[in-house]
Amino acid sequence: MARMVVSLSVVPIGTSGTSVSSYVSRAISVVERMGVRYRVGAGFTDLEVDDYGQLADIMSEIEGELAKMGVRRIDFFVKVDRRLDSDLTIEGKISKVAREAAP
């Protein structure tokens, strides 16, 4: 299990249009290729990663793929939930909130 749940948003700048879905799809293909568990959201994708090195590798691969698509500038927005005492999962975090919110 992962020790970090990372919320990652990748914003290509200077593209020819306003849609970013093709760039997001390419970024997700990188995550899949790297074997990382993930969940796509409306503005961020949550990833389960083991350490900062793995996160850096993912971001570097995404950057390379978007560069191949002609992107010249990328903003990465990253939120890290890091546990030092136990493992984290996306589903575990969501289910805990759901249990707390239940009447």
Side-chain angles (χ1 to χ4, degrees):
M1 287 196 184
R3 292 233 180 244
M4 299 165 63
V5 172
V6 175
S7 297
L8 180 65
S9 179
V10 180
V11 181
I13 298 173
T15 63
S16 61
T18 58
S19 176
V20 296
S21 60
S22 63
Y23 304 102
V24 172
S25 293
R26 183 70 64 93
I28 293 301
S29 72
V30 168
V31 172
E32 289 175 345
R33 184 174 69 241
M34 296 185 81
V36 173
R37 293 188 62 178
Y38 70 94
R39 182 176 182 152
V40 176
F44 284 82
T45 298
D46 293 328
L47 313 171
E48 294 178 4
V49 299
D50 295 321
D51 55 43
Y52 294 105
Q54 186 180 23
L55 175 59
D57 290 344
I58 292 166
M59 292 173 65
S60 180
E61 289 291 321
I62 289 171
E63 181 180 286
E65 286 298 314
L66 296 189
K68 290 177 192 174
M69 296 176 74
V71 174
R72 307 290 291 169
R73 184 175 179 182
I74 304 165
D75 277 350
F76 286 98
F77 296 90
V78 181
K79 178 188 174 287
V80 175
D81 184 351
R82 173 82 163 135
R83 289 292 301 251
L84 301 176
D85 60 342
S86 66
D87 290 328
L88 283 173
T89 65
I90 296 164
E91 291 304 320
K93 289 176 61 96
I94 292 170
S95 65
K96 185 172 183 178
V97 172
R99 284 193 307 271
E100 294 286 329

